[in-house]
Amino acid sequence: MSEHMDVLKMRILICFLEMEPGSCTVTGLAKTLGEEKYTVSRAMSALEKEGLLDRSLPRNPRLTEAGTAAARRYGERMDIAINHLIYEGVGDEMAQRDARFLSLYCSEETFQMIRGMEERYRIKHALRSRREFDGAVLCRGLRDGTYSLPFIIYREHVKDNSNISMANQGFEHPCQLVVKRGVGIIRLKAVPVMHPSAADGERRSAKINSLKYADKDRFCDAERGGDFWQFPAEALHFVNVGSDAGRVLHGSVCLRMTNALGSVHMPDSTAIFTILF
């Protein structure tokens, strides 16, 4: 009963945003929501006690400022949760029902992950007709936020039956794509790498101490802040792979890196940084 009442209160809040004010009465809401009048009246009384609803005019109830903020938050969560569940193959009716519980009870951290996943689905659909594009196109279409993305750094040439660069171990996984007002930055965190020295064979530890990214016909310095390196997402070249639910946006850019021990012990490297969106 408590869960039902919680869900009903959320639905009522959202109705106040979407319906005409004159329809947001006990009778009008009961009809729209398919609930008994007394149940709706109890829910509205609870919202009033919580400071979310002003019922000083019984025939003209209104959301308070806090109620409007809560309604908008739940409304956004519902839209995102429904889209996410439908994209994952859940039927419309079930998605509507389960999205209510996700919107109410998921932590903000969990919902942030759902929001990020839904945003990825949305942008993949929006770019479905673009076979190739650069990172600027991707970021202009994304909502502001931080996206955690898997990446692999490849060697230019296969060595010892592997094309994975040693530099792949030199950064924390995943990386981050930070988008603000349509502009994106790729952010990497350097971590120590253990590797046999080219000079004496002893295992030594070092971090990346310089990083350049390819920008058209030249290499530019990435920005450094402590262990973090970042470069513009527009430098990435994307290829659209697959279709529908299996669609992957594959981005890549050439990087040049040196390490703190110098090339005598660990070779400098030119490698291909790739992300999967």
Side-chain angles (χ1 to χ4, degrees), residues 166-180:
M166 184 177 67
N168 194 62
Q169 305 170 40
F171 297 100
E172 187 174 274
H173 292 248
C175 67
Q176 292 182 328
L177 168 61
V178 183
V179 179
K180 187 174 183 180

Side-chain angles (χ1 to χ4, degrees), residues 76-257:
E76 181 207 16
R77 280 187 162 214
M78 279 291 295
D79 288 344
I80 290 171
I82 289 171
N83 289 341
H84 173 69
L85 291 172
I86 290 175
Y87 192 92
E88 292 291 348
V90 179
D92 290 1
E93 185 177 345
M94 188 72 73
Q96 287 274 352
R97 189 191 71 181
D98 289 349
R100 294 168 184 164
F101 291 95
L102 283 173
S103 300
L104 268 173
Y105 300 122
C106 269
S107 67
E108 187 55 37
E109 181 179 3
T110 298
F111 213 85
Q112 186 63 33
M113 293 179 64
I114 295 173
R115 186 181 285 110
M117 292 171 69
E118 194 276 332
E119 178 66 359
R120 294 184 202 190
Y121 299 151
R122 184 191 66 79
I123 197 65
K124 287 179 184 180
H125 182 74
L127 294 173
R128 65 191 182 281
S129 63
R130 300 285 294 268
R131 177 168 172 74
E132 297 184 34
F133 51 90
D134 64 25
V137 171
L138 175 73
C139 295
R140 281 198 297 269
L142 284 170
R143 295 187 179 97
D144 286 3
T146 299
Y147 303 85
S148 294
L149 301 175
F151 71 90
I152 301 174
I153 302 179
Y154 292 102
R155 292 190 182 111
E156 286 188 296
H157 307 288
V158 175
K159 180 181 178 182
D160 299 328
N161 296 318
S162 173
N163 64 343
I164 305 297
S165 171
M166 184 177 67
N168 194 62
Q169 305 170 40
F171 297 100
E172 187 174 274
H173 292 248
C175 67
Q176 292 182 328
L177 168 61
V178 183
V179 179
K180 187 174 183 180
R181 293 191 293 273
V183 178
I185 292 292
I186 297 293
R187 182 177 294 162
L188 295 160
K189 182 181 181 180
V191 295
V193 176
M194 291 292 296
H195 194 268
S197 166
D200 55 26
E202 292 186 14
R203 292 182 64 81
R204 299 175 186 271
S205 174
K207 285 184 181 179
I208 300 296
N209 72 340
S210 76
L211 177 65
K212 295 178 182 287
Y213 64 93
D215 182 19
K216 298 182 176 63
D217 58 350
R218 65 193 181 103
F219 278 85
C220 302
D221 289 315
E223 181 182 2
R224 183 178 184 177
D227 287 335
F228 289 91
W229 295 88
Q230 61 184 39
F231 60 88
E234 66 181 34
L236 290 162
H237 175 260
F238 281 88
V239 176
N240 207 327
V241 181
S243 61
D244 301 327
R247 187 181 305 280
V248 173
L249 306 182
H250 181 281
S252 62
V253 64
C254 190
L255 301 180
R256 285 182 179 170
M257 293 158 282

